[in-house]
Amino acid sequence: YEIYQCDWSSDVCSSDLPEQVAHHRLPQHVPLPPSRARDRRTLYGSWRFRLVDHPGLVDPAWVGGAAPAQARSTSGRAWTDITVPGNWTVPGAFPHGDQPDDHPHYTNVQMPFPGPPPALPERVATGIYRRTLDIPRRWRGRRIVLHVGGAESVHWVFVNGSWCGYGTDSRLPSEYDITDLVHDGENDLSLVVARFSAQSYVEDQDQWWMAGLHREVHVRAEAAVHIADVRIDAGLKSDGSTGTLRVTTRVETNGGAQMPRGWTTRVEVSSPEDKVVFAGSAAVFAETWAYVFAGHDAIIQTDVPRVKPWSAELPHRYLVTVTLVDDKGRDAETVRQWTGFRRVEIAGRDLLVNGRRIMVRGVNRHDHHPDRGKAVTPEDMRADIVLMKQHNVNAVRCSHYPNDPRFLDLCDELGLYVIDEANVESHAWNTSLCHDPRYRTTIMSRITRMVERDKNHPSV
């Protein structure tokens, strides 16, 4: 089990230990697309792929720097092509190769294998994904981050034959700093995905069990000083027209370098009519005092008069533009986030939105497509929401996990109340697993990471 340049029998990266949530994974944050398209490269499309019956059967050469061999493995499966995002379990996943003997599996309460937690079946289908990764020369001196949007169930990352990290939670992204493992030009990227793991016991949800890289994979370059996260708290006062706004911008430096002084953030808020309704700036806190250091944050807090509130019926969105400005007054980076001003309260037995009682008329929804499995597209998501709206549905429950973040963007835009869920459901062991201390870290991690990703959505 030492094929991954780490000891699989240790606590470093073993998929059968529920305590192991991640290794070398970066902290969760809201989605922040780079302000310059050239700083991001999407890894959609064709990857080389092969399937084995257990992670321990992966040949080290398959995740090394050499080109994927064309010889058939001992299990009789050859390298073939597969599309990412996608699931290897759906029919037609391999248009140019044989369909592996690993199919979708539907369960309601029972697990697809007997247990007890955290025991795994003898066969744990494991896919090896591989492709080349081109790193442009202009990215020198910047941090290179790999984004894995969703991998069912757990995954290991290798860059140019070196082990990079391990991640769990098939419905939230995992990101890794690969700066020290890549070089200019062509690099080798390999992702190993195991279909089942100890984490599967908290993903036992009435749905189709799939497998593979079903969400976006990309790499991006970050400047030495960059925006790491933005939190937007947009509320509404009791008069129904005065918005309250607090924008907290987290700024980080690569490699833990000293935060330079004199940097600021500039915040602009634009109305649905594209009119600037607020503009202000704040200094980035760069001191490190004992007991009180809470990160390099820039905080802006203000009231915004005459706003149009957000609701499922009238989803008025405001665009928040945050610009990082260096000590010379130059714009270093810009990110944008949508928000909505709204107030949510419980009064007696009534749920109030913006001071008015609402009736929740909701449905459950999975990220699911009959042909592509969990690899849903923005067009699929929009079609689902339009169908809901046409049938007078005003709320959706993300059963039973964080949906693709683009789905929440569309709920903000089109108007749906969203019940977000944290990918924690042990249906077969629901009266015992919640008391198992081995799963405590897993459960807390999934809840907190969901909040960190989705905290800015007015629909949630």
Side-chain angles (χ1 to χ4, degrees):
Y1 291 114
E2 297 182 359
I3 61 174
Y4 294 117
Q5 299 183 3
C6 65
D7 184 0
W8 280 55
S9 64
S10 75
D11 291 350
V12 175
C13 55
S14 180
S15 61
D16 60 359
L17 294 176
E19 302 92 335
Q20 287 307 312
V21 173
H23 201 67
H24 291 167
R25 184 165 66 185
L26 297 174
Q28 185 66 271
H29 56 83
V30 300
L32 293 172
S35 53
R36 301 184 302 178
R38 67 177 187 170
D39 289 338
R40 185 175 184 271
R41 294 205 163 184
T42 297
L43 302 180
Y44 283 171
S46 182
W47 290 54
R48 297 296 284 163
F49 179 86
R50 73 188 306 158
L51 192 72
V52 294
D53 289 340
H54 193 276
L57 299 177
V58 177
D59 190 317
W62 299 345
V63 295
Q70 298 301 317
R72 300 182 70 85
S73 68
T74 55
S75 59
R77 304 182 185 98
W79 286 98
T80 186
D81 293 324
I82 192 171
T83 299
V84 174
N87 292 121
W88 75 63
T89 43
V90 297
F94 305 94
H96 307 295
D98 296 333
Q99 180 76 16
D101 181 24
D102 194 41
H103 306 295
H105 187 173
Y106 179 84
T107 65
N108 183 2
V109 176
Q110 68 274 23
M111 290 283 292
F113 46 87
L120 296 179
E122 182 177 348
R123 184 192 183 196
V124 179
T126 301
I128 302 97
Y129 291 80
R130 205 163 161 195
R131 62 162 290 158
T132 57
L133 171 63
D134 185 62
I135 300 296
R137 186 173 182 177
R138 64 176 178 270
W139 285 7
R140 283 186 181 180
R142 302 166 73 88
R143 184 169 77 160
I144 313 301
V145 175
L146 172 69
H147 173 100
V148 181
E152 187 173 347
S153 161
V154 299
H155 65 279
W156 297 261
V157 180
F158 305 88
V159 180
N160 291 324
S162 295
W163 178 65
C164 175
Y166 169 74
T168 67
D169 194 339
S170 61
R171 304 292 186 258
L172 282 175
S174 295
E175 294 189 334
Y176 306 93
D177 184 347
I178 62 172
T179 309
D180 295 337
L181 300 177
V182 296
H183 49 73
D184 296 350
E186 189 173 283
N187 295 263
D188 186 88
L189 173 63
S190 300
L191 295 174
V192 177
V193 181
R195 182 173 187 181
F196 298 126
S197 70
Q199 309 289 328
S200 298
Y201 285 94
V202 292
E203 297 184 0
D204 180 31
Q205 305 150 2
D206 42 321
Q207 63 166 332
W208 286 98
W209 295 80
M210 295 288 181
L213 298 173
H214 59 268
R215 291 185 185 167
E216 179 188 24
V217 181
H218 72 252
V219 289
R220 67 176 185 272
E222 296 179 343
V225 182
H226 60 273
I227 296 174
D229 200 11
V230 175
R231 173 172 178 163
I232 301 172
D233 296 292
L236 189 70
K237 291 191 173 182
S238 58
D239 62 8
S241 63
T242 302
T244 62
L245 180 69
R246 180 184 174 95
V247 179
T248 304
T249 305
R250 173 64 55 90
V251 179
E252 290 183 355
T253 58
N254 292 341
Q258 180 70 30
M259 180 69 202
R261 299 189 180 189
W263 287 59
T264 61
T265 60
R266 185 176 66 249
V267 174
E268 289 187 352
V269 181
S270 300
S271 70
E273 295 78 25
D274 200 27
K275 178 183 177 181
V276 175
V277 297
F278 171 79
S281 61
V284 178
F285 180 75
E287 303 294 336
T288 54
W289 300 333
Y291 301 115
V292 297
F293 176 68
H296 300 301
D297 292 347
I299 301 173
I300 289 179
Q301 188 164 343
T302 186
D303 289 345
V304 183
R306 297 183 297 279
V307 299
K308 295 181 177 180
W310 187 96
S311 68
E313 290 73 27
L314 296 170
H316 299 298
R317 294 189 305 166
Y318 286 73
L319 182 62
V320 179
T321 303
V322 180
T323 301
L324 181 62
V325 182
D326 69 14
D327 54 352
K328 302 290 193 304
R330 299 169 299 195
D331 292 357
E333 184 182 13
T334 298
V335 299
R336 295 174 176 84
Q337 294 278 293
W338 290 100
T339 191
F341 294 94
R342 51 103 168 107
R343 186 172 80 256
V344 180
E345 305 166 281
I346 295 177
R349 295 187 176 185
D350 292 334
L351 174 63
L352 308 182
V353 175
N354 303 331
R356 301 183 62 179
R357 178 178 180 268
I358 69 165
M359 180 67 71
V360 175
R361 297 180 295 273
V363 296
N364 296 326
R365 177 190 177 274
H366 274 287
D367 266 350
H368 185 83
H369 187 274
D371 298 321
R372 295 187 298 275
K374 297 297 180 184
V376 293
T377 67
E379 292 75 21
D380 299 331
M381 303 173 206
R382 183 177 289 271
D384 284 351
I385 295 174
V386 169
L387 187 64
M388 295 177 200
K389 300 285 285 188
Q390 289 173 337
H391 287 78
N392 207 31
V393 168
N394 70 352
V396 59
R397 172 179 173 236
C398 296
S399 52
H400 304 272
Y401 45 78
N403 283 195
D404 188 298
R406 296 170 297 180
F407 180 74
L408 300 184
D409 292 337
L410 290 169
C411 290
D412 294 343
E413 175 191 347
L414 300 177
L416 279 179
Y417 300 119
V418 175
I419 309 302
D420 215 353
E421 295 204 359
N423 204 20
V424 177
E425 182 175 335
S426 52
H427 213 156
W429 306 86
N430 62 359
T431 62
S432 59
L433 203 64
C434 55
H435 301 294
D436 189 334
R438 295 172 298 178
Y439 280 89
R440 184 175 298 135
T441 300
T442 286
I443 294 170
M444 292 303 299
S445 170
R446 290 171 181 237
I447 295 171
T448 56
R449 294 180 74 240
M450 173 193 67
V451 172
E452 291 296 336
R453 192 198 72 168
D454 298 340
K455 58 195 173 192
N456 289 345
H457 290 281
S459 59
V460 174

